[in-house]
Structure formats: C-alpha cells, structure tokens
Amino acid sequence: MTLQEVKSLAAKGEGLKIEFKKKAAYPEKIVREFIALANTAGGVVMIGVDDDGTVSGQRFIEEEVYVMEKAIKELIFPALHYELFVLPINSKKGVAVFKLEQSQSRPHYLKIDKKRQSFIRVADRSVQASIEVWEILKKSKNPRDVVFTYGRKEEILLKTLEEKQRISVREFSKIAKIPKFLASKTLVRLVLANVLLIHPQESDDYFTLKE
C-alpha cells in the first residue's frame, strides 16, 4: 500500500469498512474496531489519520503500532489475522494501516476480566453484538440447510411482520406469549434459513422479512 492509496482511502471518510484513529490511545477500546470489522465485512483501521480524513501522521508511529499489536494479541480471541502497512509521511511522522478481511474465525471477541464482548460494524460505528448476532455469526460460517417447523409462533411472527414490517426479540416474545430465549432461537433460525434479515442496533436489534 502506498501513501497515495492511504490518502485516497482516507478521503472516503469513515464508514462500514474504514475507521480513523489519530493515535493509539486507549488500545483496549480501539481493538473493538478491529473486532467489528473482522466480524462484519473486513476493512481498515488507520492510525495517524484525523477525524476529518486528513492524513496528518503520528510521531513515533512504530511505538503506536507496537501498542496496538500488543493489544490485539492479548485482548482479541480467537487470534485475529491482519496485514500491516507502516508508511512515512515525512522525517518525523508516519501512518499505519491495519487491513482486515472478513474473518473465517468469527465471531471474534474482546476478553477482559473474564468478560466476553463481541462487536460488529453498523454504518460508521462499531456496536456490541447481541446474543442473536453472535449466534448468527457463529453458525453462518458453515452454511447448511436449516430445518424449522412452521407452527403457531411462526404464524404469529409472519402475520405481525406483514402488519408492522419489523419486530424485536422482546416484541415477538410478548406477542407470541413465549419465553424470550425461544423467541430469540426462532428468529435466529429464520435468519439462517434466509427468511428474515437482522438489523443490528445499539439497543434492540430488529428483524424484517427478507425480500
């Protein structure tokens, strides 16, 4: 990757596959962006780029890279693979680009104090993955025919979606009068069966019929 390519990428602005960081401050938070990109569609994390897309660079860029690589190795599970490009801007500053593909080992997660948190990319933000997203990521790695029984709860679900266009786990549980775990399991199965789409959100995810 050349400096011109870096500037061209930065000019596109942050989005589904691009994240800017001026420096590697709070690496335990920045690794969430790596997890989100690898869990979603891949992309790049750029160190030494301002929020407005200016490739201003960072002094001692090698130290920034060291801090990030250490955090990636120690905090992200399973191990995350990436390409690294470190490019000088001038004699004092440089920029680093971490390039990630959509991971075959997803879902990756952050592990701190025995707590596991996974993240996905929604537009230009990284949000914590719900239980449903986690299950879909895990099971979609090995796609296969999903068998499900069309019964009362599925009938209620589809009728509700025809009327309201969208539904959450909580709403489905209440309308169908079933436990939340069963509502969750049913919706996940229907996403894997290509009947529904999941729309991850910062609060409650919602589901729609797949067109």
Side-chain angles (χ1 to χ4, degrees):
M1 183 174 287
T2 66
L3 185 57
Q4 186 57 45
E5 288 174 322
V6 171
K7 289 181 177 179
S8 178
L9 271 175
K12 295 179 181 179
E14 288 186 314
L16 181 68
K17 303 179 75 170
I18 301 175
E19 177 70 27
F20 303 150
K21 295 296 176 186
K22 176 60 179 171
K23 60 184 299 182
Y26 307 107
E28 69 281 0
K29 292 184 179 180
I30 297 177
V31 291
R32 298 176 184 184
E33 316 292 356
F34 286 79
I35 291 170
L37 290 168
N39 279 345
T40 310
V44 294
V45 177
M46 312 173 83
I47 309 291
V49 178
D50 300 338
D51 287 341
D52 64 0
T54 302
V55 185
S56 56
Q58 185 65 37
R59 296 188 67 184
F60 311 114
I61 191 64
E62 292 80 7
E63 293 183 14
E64 304 288 316
V65 167
Y66 172 80
V67 166
M68 281 314 312
E69 290 201 298
K70 185 173 185 291
I72 292 167
K73 183 178 180 181
E74 294 179 353
L75 300 177
I76 298 178
F77 299 89
L80 187 66
H81 300 289
Y82 56 87
E83 285 186 85
L84 172 63
F85 304 89
V86 182
L87 303 163
I89 292 177
N90 53 45
S91 60
K92 294 182 178 180
K93 292 184 176 182
V95 62
V97 179
F98 292 82
K99 183 179 179 182
L100 305 107
E101 301 296 333
Q102 183 189 60
S103 177
Q104 295 302 307
S105 300
R106 64 188 187 277
H108 293 274
Y109 58 88
L110 172 66
K111 187 175 180 181
I112 297 180
D113 298 329
K114 297 184 180 180
K115 292 182 180 179
R116 295 183 178 188
Q117 291 182 321
S118 191
F119 300 87
I120 57 167
R121 199 75 174 168
V122 178
D124 61 350
R125 296 172 294 114
S126 296
V127 302
Q128 187 169 340
S130 64
I131 293 171
E132 291 74 33
V133 167
W134 186 305
E135 285 298 308
I136 291 164
L137 286 172
K138 186 167 62 175
K139 293 177 179 177
S140 64
K141 288 188 298 183
N142 300 304
R144 58 189 179 191
D145 291 338
V146 178
V147 179
F148 65 92
T149 303
Y150 184 84
R152 172 186 162 277
K153 62 182 184 300
E154 287 81 12
E155 185 178 349
I156 292 171
L157 172 65
L158 296 180
K159 183 178 179 181
T160 302
L161 283 172
E162 287 175 3
E163 295 173 356
K164 296 180 58 179
Q165 280 76 57
R166 62 166 66 182
I167 197 168
S168 68
V169 173
R170 188 179 304 168
E171 289 169 336
F172 180 36
S173 172
K174 184 176 180 180
I175 292 169
K177 297 180 181 178
I178 57 176
K180 192 175 176 183
F181 82 88
L182 183 56
S184 172
K185 188 175 179 180
T186 302
L187 290 167
V188 166
R189 191 182 299 121
L190 289 171
V191 169
L192 294 170
N194 287 316
V195 176
L196 301 181
L197 285 175
I198 186 170
H199 302 266
Q201 305 293 306
E202 287 192 24
S203 52
D204 281 351
D205 299 344
Y206 66 88
F207 298 77
T208 62
L209 284 170
K210 190 169 185 179
E211 295 181 358

